[in-house]
Amino acid sequence: MPASSIGLTQQMLRRRPVAGAPVAPGAAEHLRRGIGVFELTMFGVGSTVGTGIFFVLSQAVPEAGPGVIVSFLIAGVAAGLAAICYAELASAVPISGSSYSYAYTTLGEVVAVGVAACLLLEYGVATAAVSVGWSGYVNKLLHNVFGFQLPHGLSAAPWDSDPGYVNLPAIVLIVLCALLLIRGASESARVNAIMVLIKLGVLAMFVVVAFTAFDSNQLSDFAPFGAAGIGSAAGTIFFSYIGLDAVSTAGDEVKDPQKTMPRALIAALATVITVYVLVALAALGTQPWQEFAGQENAGLATILDKVTHHGWASTILCAGAVISIFTVTLITMYGQTRILFAMGRDGLLPTRFASVNERTMTPVSNTVIVAVAAAALAGVVPLEELADMVSIGTLTAFIVVAVGVIVLRVREPELPRGFRVPGYPVTPVLSVGACGYILASLHWYTWVAFSGWVFLALLFYFSWGRRHSALNGVD
């Protein structure tokens, strides 16, 4: 039935069925399922344990002192509330698209489009911004190992504070990730798993070496700024946990998704919390907490250099950072392409976004589009002012998922679920509250830019998307 035969309000509020949903003409119905629990867990760990852990201590420790260990646990609990909500919806709605698909199933079409705008902004800006940071680490690694580095003109954008011509390493990184994603999702998952294990190995090396110089007296002044300082640091640290959303973008490519996705989400969260707490504890035992301020660029490497009195530590940490950024870029690009695929399959974007290669069963067209857009941003555009946009998109998605758990429990209580949120309905309500509290602390100009972006997405929906929705044929 054409969209014009029903009212605008009905179009906006219609929901995608959990099972048997229609597919837009010319779009692929599904992708190839080849990702298991371990590989999907590594997706979550790889997208979460990024460069943040390499410098977040220099930001958080001055706020809380040694009490930052508690801050990591608090932030992990806040992220865990969201992860648990994701786990239930991922088991009940096992398709690609993350919180876009969950919102479409529970809250309606127009909300889903708004959430999709949040996710596409989150993943798009994150891909470009993270790849920009790759240049500095690559140059430092080249200098430490081979004694040379790329010219500044080829490793900085024209509008950087210290301008160059183009950020070539960032573009190369995006192209490499795109080629890997085009080759296949399971191949990408295997490469990511190997790199994540290497990254975790580097951080494990840091913990072991740092503990050789551990002095418990460094923790004696545990909370110099009291509970307020610990809470403030938890807000800073929370953004080191926001990569867990990437797990839920793989719903169409996971084996036995009702069981695999909840297990991978919980395993990834447990791994990330363990790694963060151990790194923080080991680092705090090696030097007075006051010395962490000003160690933004190479805090962990500086600590290892003090402990070992040799320069090999910074080289290994740089290698770990290079690998870390590669995995984050790979997964953020993956997540964006799968959200675009889901929207194309639902008819809310042109079906080109939901076309797949018959041999690899990957969405080649939208992968190329994402790579070109991200490379253009990373290569020539300064992105510092957009950093908070990643956070606002993620937090909005977290809130929608928590609300979606409640709505789906009420609307379809008998729907098969491979995992149920413990402590329902308190847990999803707490998740909404925690994310809302952090959202309220963001700058006003972030909200203005974010609102403008969502407005453009809704404008596209009202002018094009609602008329081409795959649900038009079933209204």
Side-chain angles (χ1 to χ4, degrees), residues 47 73 79 89 116 121 130 156 159 163 173 182 188 234 273 301 310 394 415 425 440:
S47 60
L73 290 172
L89 284 188
L121 181 68
V130 170
W159 293 283
L173 172 61
I182 289 171
S188 299
I273 292 176
H310 292 285
T394 302
L415 184 70

Side-chain angles (χ1 to χ4, degrees), residues 274-323:
T274 301
V275 169
Y276 282 178
V277 170
L278 284 175
V279 169
L281 181 62
L284 284 161
T286 62
Q287 63 181 20
W289 65 265
Q290 295 89 342
E291 294 183 13
F292 281 86
Q295 292 182 341
E296 288 87 354
N297 292 326
L300 300 188
T302 300
I303 290 171
L304 286 187
D305 285 341
K306 288 181 179 179
V307 173
T308 64
H309 305 293
H310 292 285
W312 59 267
S314 61
T315 300
I316 293 178
L317 262 295
C318 282
V322 167
I323 292 171

Side-chain angles (χ1 to χ4, degrees), residues 183-226:
R183 181 174 175 82
S186 57
E187 290 84 353
S188 299
R190 283 193 290 271
V191 171
N192 173 73
I194 293 170
M195 288 189 164
V196 170
L197 290 175
I198 294 173
K199 173 167 54 177
L200 293 178
V202 170
L203 291 173
M205 178 211 70
F206 169 83
V207 170
V208 170
V209 174
F211 267 122
T212 63
F214 188 86
D215 180 0
S216 60
N217 292 326
Q218 305 288 8
L219 307 179
S220 57
D221 187 15
F222 190 75
F225 305 109

Side-chain angles (χ1 to χ4, degrees), residues 430-444:
L430 287 176
S431 180
V432 171
C435 294
Y437 174 78
I438 298 171
L439 274 175
S441 68
L442 297 178
H443 297 293
W444 66 268

Side-chain angles (χ1 to χ4, degrees), residues 226-285:
I230 290 174
S232 175
T236 299
I237 291 167
F238 178 82
F239 301 111
S240 298
Y241 286 93
I242 63 177
L244 293 170
D245 175 87
V247 172
S248 61
T249 64
D252 274 285
E253 293 164 290
V254 174
K255 303 172 186 175
D256 192 9
Q258 285 85 356
K259 295 180 179 179
T260 297
M261 295 183 71
R263 290 171 181 172
L265 277 161
I266 303 304
L269 176 68
T271 302
V272 170
I273 292 176
T274 301
V275 169
Y276 282 178
V277 170
L278 284 175
V279 169
L281 181 62
L284 284 161

Side-chain angles (χ1 to χ4, degrees), residues 66-80:
V68 77
I69 297 169
V70 179
S71 302
F72 271 104
L73 290 172
I74 293 173
V77 169

